[in-house]
PDB file of all heavy atoms in Angstrom:
ATOM      1  N   ASN A  12     -13.975   7.771   0.748  1.00  0.00           N
ATOM      2  CA  ASN A  12     -14.508   7.812  -0.611  1.00  0.00           C
ATOM      3  C   ASN A  12     -16.058   7.773  -0.521  1.00  0.00           C
ATOM      4  O   ASN A  12     -16.660   7.764   0.594  1.00  0.00           O
ATOM      5  CB  ASN A  12     -13.930   6.658  -1.451  1.00  0.00           C
ATOM      6  CG  ASN A  12     -14.284   5.289  -0.980  1.00  0.00           C
ATOM      7  OD1 ASN A  12     -15.245   5.131  -0.193  1.00  0.00           O
ATOM      8  ND2 ASN A  12     -13.649   4.295  -1.477  1.00  0.00           N
ATOM      9  N   GLN A  13     -16.711   7.733  -1.678  1.00  0.00           N
ATOM     10  CA  GLN A  13     -18.181   7.770  -1.690  1.00  0.00           C
ATOM     11  C   GLN A  13     -18.803   6.562  -1.062  1.00  0.00           C
ATOM     12  O   GLN A  13     -20.046   6.545  -0.842  1.00  0.00           O
ATOM     13  CB  GLN A  13     -18.710   8.044  -3.093  1.00  0.00           C
ATOM     14  CG  GLN A  13     -18.642   6.919  -4.048  1.00  0.00           C
ATOM     15  CD  GLN A  13     -17.368   6.891  -4.933  1.00  0.00           C
ATOM     16  OE1 GLN A  13     -16.372   7.197  -4.461  1.00  0.00           O
ATOM     17  NE2 GLN A  13     -17.543   6.638  -6.186  1.00  0.00           N
ATOM     18  N   ALA A  43       5.846  -0.293  11.389  1.00  0.00           N
ATOM     19  CA  ALA A  43       5.534  -0.644  10.003  1.00  0.00           C
ATOM     20  C   ALA A  43       5.680  -2.137   9.708  1.00  0.00           C
ATOM     21  O   ALA A  43       6.018  -2.428   8.548  1.00  0.00           O
ATOM     22  CB  ALA A  43       6.389   0.183   9.007  1.00  0.00           C
ATOM     23  N   TYR A  47      -0.546 -11.104   9.384  1.00  0.00           N
ATOM     24  CA  TYR A  47      -1.844 -11.402   8.762  1.00  0.00           C
ATOM     25  C   TYR A  47      -2.525 -12.500   9.616  1.00  0.00           C
ATOM     26  O   TYR A  47      -2.037 -13.589   9.848  1.00  0.00           O
ATOM     27  CB  TYR A  47      -1.586 -11.916   7.327  1.00  0.00           C
ATOM     28  CG  TYR A  47      -1.133 -10.767   6.418  1.00  0.00           C
ATOM     29  CD1 TYR A  47       0.154 -10.320   6.494  1.00  0.00           C
ATOM     30  CD2 TYR A  47      -2.015 -10.040   5.736  1.00  0.00           C
ATOM     31  CE1 TYR A  47       0.596  -9.209   5.748  1.00  0.00           C
ATOM     32  CE2 TYR A  47      -1.644  -8.922   4.973  1.00  0.00           C
ATOM     33  CZ  TYR A  47      -0.320  -8.515   5.005  1.00  0.00           C
ATOM     34  OH  TYR A  47       0.058  -7.423   4.351  1.00  0.00           O
ATOM     35  N   HIS A  70      -1.551 -20.320 -18.742  1.00  0.00           N
ATOM     36  CA  HIS A  70      -0.676 -20.010 -19.940  1.00  0.00           C
ATOM     37  C   HIS A  70       0.247 -21.204 -20.062  1.00  0.00           C
ATOM     38  O   HIS A  70       0.994 -21.607 -19.181  1.00  0.00           O
ATOM     39  CB  HIS A  70       0.205 -18.760 -19.639  1.00  0.00           C
ATOM     40  CG  HIS A  70      -0.576 -17.506 -19.740  1.00  0.00           C
ATOM     41  ND1 HIS A  70      -1.119 -16.951 -18.628  1.00  0.00           N
ATOM     42  CD2 HIS A  70      -0.877 -16.701 -20.757  1.00  0.00           C
ATOM     43  CE1 HIS A  70      -1.786 -15.818 -18.988  1.00  0.00           C
ATOM     44  NE2 HIS A  70      -1.574 -15.658 -20.311  1.00  0.00           N
ATOM     45  N   THR A 133      18.360  18.762   6.901  1.00  0.00           N
ATOM     46  CA  THR A 133      19.766  18.400   6.548  1.00  0.00           C
ATOM     47  C   THR A 133      19.972  18.350   4.994  1.00  0.00           C
ATOM     48  O   THR A 133      19.038  18.256   4.258  1.00  0.00           O
ATOM     49  CB  THR A 133      20.216  17.107   7.186  1.00  0.00           C
ATOM     50  OG1 THR A 133      19.312  16.029   6.590  1.00  0.00           O
ATOM     51  CG2 THR A 133      20.106  17.087   8.683  1.00  0.00           C
ATOM     52  N   VAL A 149      31.365 -15.637  10.723  1.00  0.00           N
ATOM     53  CA  VAL A 149      32.297 -14.471  10.739  1.00  0.00           C
ATOM     54  C   VAL A 149      31.628 -13.288  10.128  1.00  0.00           C
ATOM     55  O   VAL A 149      31.179 -13.318   8.935  1.00  0.00           O
ATOM     56  CB  VAL A 149      33.593 -14.839  10.012  1.00  0.00           C
ATOM     57  CG1 VAL A 149      34.582 -13.660  10.091  1.00  0.00           C
ATOM     58  CG2 VAL A 149      34.179 -16.114  10.578  1.00  0.00           C
ATOM     59  N   VAL A 174      15.622 -22.863 -18.999  1.00  0.00           N
ATOM     60  CA  VAL A 174      15.765 -23.207 -20.394  1.00  0.00           C
ATOM     61  C   VAL A 174      16.434 -24.607 -20.587  1.00  0.00           C
ATOM     62  O   VAL A 174      15.920 -25.390 -21.368  1.00  0.00           O
ATOM     63  CB  VAL A 174      16.588 -22.183 -21.146  1.00  0.00           C
ATOM     64  CG1 VAL A 174      16.971 -22.645 -22.585  1.00  0.00           C
ATOM     65  CG2 VAL A 174      15.846 -20.814 -21.201  1.00  0.00           C
ATOM     66  N   THR A 177      13.780 -27.541 -18.962  1.00  0.00           N
ATOM     67  CA  THR A 177      12.338 -27.658 -19.272  1.00  0.00           C
ATOM     68  C   THR A 177      12.286 -27.564 -20.846  1.00  0.00           C
ATOM     69  O   THR A 177      13.255 -27.359 -21.498  1.00  0.00           O
ATOM     70  CB  THR A 177      11.477 -26.571 -18.669  1.00  0.00           C
ATOM     71  OG1 THR A 177      11.792 -25.321 -19.281  1.00  0.00           O
ATOM     72  CG2 THR A 177      11.684 -26.486 -17.199  1.00  0.00           C
ATOM     73  N   ILE A 202      -0.487  -1.369   5.339  1.00  0.00           N
ATOM     74  CA  ILE A 202       0.343  -2.346   4.602  1.00  0.00           C
ATOM     75  C   ILE A 202       0.696  -1.837   3.181  1.00  0.00           C
ATOM     76  O   ILE A 202       1.201  -2.615   2.407  1.00  0.00           O
ATOM     77  CB  ILE A 202      -0.344  -3.755   4.559  1.00  0.00           C
ATOM     78  CG1 ILE A 202      -1.821  -3.633   4.029  1.00  0.00           C
ATOM     79  CG2 ILE A 202      -0.357  -4.371   5.938  1.00  0.00           C
ATOM     80  CD1 ILE A 202      -2.503  -4.883   3.784  1.00  0.00           C
ATOM     81  N   CYS A 206       8.485  -2.621   5.128  1.00  0.00           N
ATOM     82  CA  CYS A 206       9.844  -3.000   4.886  1.00  0.00           C
ATOM     83  C   CYS A 206       9.957  -4.494   4.428  1.00  0.00           C
ATOM     84  O   CYS A 206      10.812  -4.875   3.722  1.00  0.00           O
ATOM     85  CB  CYS A 206      10.766  -2.811   6.077  1.00  0.00           C
ATOM     86  SG  CYS A 206      10.952  -1.031   6.488  1.00  0.00           S
ATOM     87  N   GLU A 212       5.772 -11.724  -9.241  1.00  0.00           N
ATOM     88  CA  GLU A 212       6.413 -11.143 -10.433  1.00  0.00           C
ATOM     89  C   GLU A 212       6.534 -12.235 -11.501  1.00  0.00           C
ATOM     90  O   GLU A 212       6.613 -13.427 -11.304  1.00  0.00           O
ATOM     91  CB  GLU A 212       7.802 -10.717 -10.074  1.00  0.00           C
ATOM     92  CG  GLU A 212       7.842  -9.532  -9.102  1.00  0.00           C
ATOM     93  CD  GLU A 212       9.118  -8.717  -9.097  1.00  0.00           C
ATOM     94  OE1 GLU A 212      10.139  -9.329  -8.781  1.00  0.00           O
ATOM     95  OE2 GLU A 212       9.080  -7.567  -9.458  1.00  0.00           O
ATOM     96  N   TRP A 225       4.313  -7.615 -27.120  1.00  0.00           N
ATOM     97  CA  TRP A 225       4.056  -8.347 -25.882  1.00  0.00           C
ATOM     98  C   TRP A 225       3.837  -7.391 -24.728  1.00  0.00           C
ATOM     99  O   TRP A 225       3.076  -7.704 -23.776  1.00  0.00           O
ATOM    100  CB  TRP A 225       5.300  -9.215 -25.553  1.00  0.00           C
ATOM    101  CG  TRP A 225       5.255 -10.499 -26.358  1.00  0.00           C
ATOM    102  CD1 TRP A 225       6.148 -10.817 -27.380  1.00  0.00           C
ATOM    103  CD2 TRP A 225       4.290 -11.513 -26.328  1.00  0.00           C
ATOM    104  NE1 TRP A 225       5.803 -12.020 -27.962  1.00  0.00           N
ATOM    105  CE2 TRP A 225       4.624 -12.476 -27.315  1.00  0.00           C
ATOM    106  CE3 TRP A 225       3.132 -11.772 -25.501  1.00  0.00           C
ATOM    107  CZ2 TRP A 225       3.876 -13.586 -27.567  1.00  0.00           C
ATOM    108  CZ3 TRP A 225       2.418 -12.885 -25.775  1.00  0.00           C
ATOM    109  CH2 TRP A 225       2.817 -13.850 -26.773  1.00  0.00           C
ATOM    110  N   ASP A 264      10.013   1.131 -21.816  1.00  0.00           N
ATOM    111  CA  ASP A 264       8.754   1.705 -21.519  1.00  0.00           C
ATOM    112  C   ASP A 264       8.229   1.145 -20.125  1.00  0.00           C
ATOM    113  O   ASP A 264       8.701   0.059 -19.807  1.00  0.00           O
ATOM    114  CB  ASP A 264       7.775   1.312 -22.629  1.00  0.00           C
ATOM    115  CG  ASP A 264       6.558   2.296 -22.660  1.00  0.00           C
ATOM    116  OD1 ASP A 264       6.483   3.186 -21.759  1.00  0.00           O
ATOM    117  OD2 ASP A 264       5.705   2.221 -23.620  1.00  0.00           O
ATOM    118  N   VAL A 268      -0.096   0.083 -13.080  1.00  0.00           N
ATOM    119  CA  VAL A 268      -1.506  -0.038 -12.784  1.00  0.00           C
ATOM    120  C   VAL A 268      -1.666   0.729 -11.504  1.00  0.00           C
ATOM    121  O   VAL A 268      -1.062   0.337 -10.495  1.00  0.00           O
ATOM    122  CB  VAL A 268      -1.992  -1.498 -12.690  1.00  0.00           C
ATOM    123  CG1 VAL A 268      -3.490  -1.549 -12.273  1.00  0.00           C
ATOM    124  CG2 VAL A 268      -1.694  -2.303 -13.927  1.00  0.00           C
ATOM    125  N   ASP A 308      14.880 -20.335 -36.015  1.00  0.00           N
ATOM    126  CA  ASP A 308      15.735 -19.854 -37.126  1.00  0.00           C
ATOM    127  C   ASP A 308      17.249 -19.922 -36.827  1.00  0.00           C
ATOM    128  O   ASP A 308      18.038 -19.271 -37.437  1.00  0.00           O
ATOM    129  CB  ASP A 308      15.370 -18.367 -37.432  1.00  0.00           C
ATOM    130  CG  ASP A 308      15.561 -17.470 -36.212  1.00  0.00           C
ATOM    131  OD1 ASP A 308      16.033 -17.981 -35.176  1.00  0.00           O
ATOM    132  OD2 ASP A 308      15.216 -16.282 -36.312  1.00  0.00           O
ATOM    133  N   GLU A 337     -20.294   1.159   3.269  1.00  0.00           N
ATOM    134  CA  GLU A 337     -21.278   1.377   4.363  1.00  0.00           C
ATOM    135  C   GLU A 337     -22.565   1.724   3.623  1.00  0.00           C
ATOM    136  O   GLU A 337     -22.677   2.729   2.969  1.00  0.00           O
ATOM    137  CB  GLU A 337     -20.773   2.560   5.202  1.00  0.00           C
ATOM    138  CG  GLU A 337     -19.657   2.207   6.080  1.00  0.00           C
ATOM    139  CD  GLU A 337     -19.117   3.328   6.882  1.00  0.00           C
ATOM    140  OE1 GLU A 337     -19.704   4.491   6.823  1.00  0.00           O
ATOM    141  OE2 GLU A 337     -18.120   3.232   7.594  1.00  0.00           O
ATOM    142  N   ASP A 349     -30.491   2.475   9.161  1.00  0.00           N
ATOM    143  CA  ASP A 349     -29.830   1.214   9.451  1.00  0.00           C
ATOM    144  C   ASP A 349     -28.675   1.018   8.523  1.00  0.00           C
ATOM    145  O   ASP A 349     -28.876   0.919   7.342  1.00  0.00           O
ATOM    146  CB  ASP A 349     -30.829   0.113   9.352  1.00  0.00           C
ATOM    147  CG  ASP A 349     -30.223  -1.298   9.673  1.00  0.00           C
ATOM    148  OD1 ASP A 349     -29.126  -1.284  10.213  1.00  0.00           O
ATOM    149  OD2 ASP A 349     -30.876  -2.311   9.392  1.00  0.00           O
ATOM    150  N   ARG A 351     -25.397  -0.889   7.192  1.00  0.00           N
ATOM    151  CA  ARG A 351     -24.613  -2.256   7.317  1.00  0.00           C
ATOM    152  C   ARG A 351     -23.192  -1.983   6.664  1.00  0.00           C
ATOM    153  O   ARG A 351     -23.144  -1.296   5.660  1.00  0.00           O
ATOM    154  CB  ARG A 351     -25.238  -3.391   6.669  1.00  0.00           C
ATOM    155  CG  ARG A 351     -25.213  -3.490   5.204  1.00  0.00           C
ATOM    156  CD  ARG A 351     -25.600  -4.810   4.652  1.00  0.00           C
ATOM    157  NE  ARG A 351     -25.483  -4.737   3.106  1.00  0.00           N
ATOM    158  CZ  ARG A 351     -25.374  -5.853   2.435  1.00  0.00           C
ATOM    159  NH1 ARG A 351     -25.230  -6.967   2.865  1.00  0.00           N
ATOM    160  NH2 ARG A 351     -25.281  -5.681   1.065  1.00  0.00           N
ATOM    161  N   GLU A 378     -27.444 -29.839  14.227  1.00  0.00           N
ATOM    162  CA  GLU A 378     -26.829 -31.071  13.655  1.00  0.00           C
ATOM    163  C   GLU A 378     -26.971 -31.150  12.175  1.00  0.00           C
ATOM    164  O   GLU A 378     -26.054 -31.447  11.475  1.00  0.00           O
ATOM    165  CB  GLU A 378     -27.497 -32.304  14.316  1.00  0.00           C
ATOM    166  CG  GLU A 378     -27.182 -32.604  15.706  1.00  0.00           C
ATOM    167  CD  GLU A 378     -27.975 -31.644  16.735  1.00  0.00           C
ATOM    168  OE1 GLU A 378     -28.787 -30.864  16.255  1.00  0.00           O
ATOM    169  OE2 GLU A 378     -27.548 -31.639  17.936  1.00  0.00           O
ATOM    170  N   ARG A 388     -17.522 -28.150   2.973  1.00  0.00           N
ATOM    171  CA  ARG A 388     -16.191 -27.772   3.210  1.00  0.00           C
ATOM    172  C   ARG A 388     -15.102 -28.450   2.415  1.00  0.00           C
ATOM    173  O   ARG A 388     -13.983 -28.029   2.305  1.00  0.00           O
ATOM    174  CB  ARG A 388     -15.810 -27.930   4.777  1.00  0.00           C
ATOM    175  CG  ARG A 388     -15.731 -29.337   5.195  1.00  0.00           C
ATOM    176  CD  ARG A 388     -14.909 -29.437   6.512  1.00  0.00           C
ATOM    177  NE  ARG A 388     -15.527 -28.675   7.625  1.00  0.00           N
ATOM    178  CZ  ARG A 388     -15.017 -28.623   8.831  1.00  0.00           C
ATOM    179  NH1 ARG A 388     -13.841 -29.194   9.091  1.00  0.00           N
ATOM    180  NH2 ARG A 388     -15.602 -28.057   9.798  1.00  0.00           N
TER     181      ARG A 388
END
Side-chain angles (χ1 to χ4, degrees):
N12 65 15
Q13 74 265 43
Y47 291 79
H70 287 93
T133 60
V149 184
V174 170
T177 70
I202 52 174
C206 292
E212 296 200 296
W225 283 111
D264 203 353
V268 176
D308 58 5
E337 289 174 3
D349 183 11
R351 76 162 180 160
E378 289 73 11
R388 70 160 63 180

